[in-house]
Amino acid sequence: MREQSVERAGESALQDRSHKVALVALAAVLALDGADRTALGALAPALMAEFNIGDAAIGLLASAFAIVGAVAIVPIGILTDRARRITILVVCIAVWCVAMGAAAAAWSFALLFAARVTLGVLTAAGGPPVTSIVGDLFPADVRSRVLGWVKSGELVGAGAGFLVAGVVVWLTSWRGVFAA
């Protein structure tokens, strides 16, 4: 009997409009994360021409973004256990917007590098709070399914990020990708 009530609670959460909105919003946060990670590949030729850099510098931009993000994710996980998860996400999204603007306005490779390192930290900040919020909102019997849907946003974003960045850089410039 208890199992049936737990199952009903899980299915009820999946039908609730506010839970659906939360699911889509969390997936969108991770989609932006994925898109940000892959967009650099489409921007590489334009960045190489703008800053007169080679493949090694592009590799450095991508690697620094990923390594800094990997180092930052553990402290962000600890912070997520101690602070309001929504606040963490809102602050990170706001700072992410500023860092994207800084990347778009970068007049040197060093400034672009600093912006990308900052973005690496901020995109890492999405994972722990998003996962924790899913745990808060959805009962155990549907949590893995919901987390699968939310995490699929990251993969959709990664796939779309390269494509969209390629189109935007073709229509405008590499700066347009960071300003969009």
Side-chain angles (χ1 to χ4, degrees):
M1 182 142 155
R2 178 161 161 42
E3 266 185 46
Q4 287 177 338
S5 70
V6 168
E7 282 181 31
R8 279 194 300 260
E11 292 303 321
S12 175
L14 290 175
Q15 299 305 317
D16 180 64
R17 180 169 165 70
S18 64
H19 283 74
K20 287 180 182 178
V21 169
L23 188 151
V24 170
L26 295 173
V29 167
L30 293 184
L32 286 174
D33 172 25
D36 192 22
R37 264 187 272 137
T38 60
L40 186 63
L43 302 178
L47 294 174
M48 292 167 85
E50 173 89 15
F51 296 115
N52 198 26
I53 56 174
D55 292 331
I58 296 297
L60 180 63
L61 278 177
S63 296
F65 179 91
I67 291 167
V68 168
V71 170
I73 202 164
V74 173
I76 290 166
I78 293 168
L79 179 63
T80 299
D81 287 339
R82 297 179 179 166
R84 290 196 67 230
R85 292 133 178 94
I86 298 295
T87 303
I88 294 169
L89 280 178
V90 168
V91 168
C92 285
I93 291 168
V95 177
W96 181 83
C97 290
V98 171
M100 288 293 277
W107 61 83
S108 71
F109 178 77
L111 289 174
L112 180 62
F113 181 81
R116 291 299 295 168
V117 166
T118 303
L119 288 164
V121 172
L122 295 167
T123 58
V130 165
T131 303
S132 184
I133 291 167
V134 167
D136 291 345
L137 292 178
F138 295 93
D141 65 313
V142 297
R143 193 173 298 139
S144 295
R145 182 179 353 164
V146 170
L147 197 53
W149 289 334
V150 169
K151 294 292 282 179
S152 72
E154 187 173 15
L155 297 173
V156 169
F162 192 87
L163 177 65
V164 171
V167 170
V168 171
V169 76
W170 178 68
L171 291 173
T172 62
S173 73
W174 67 268
R175 294 178 191 280
V177 173
F178 291 119

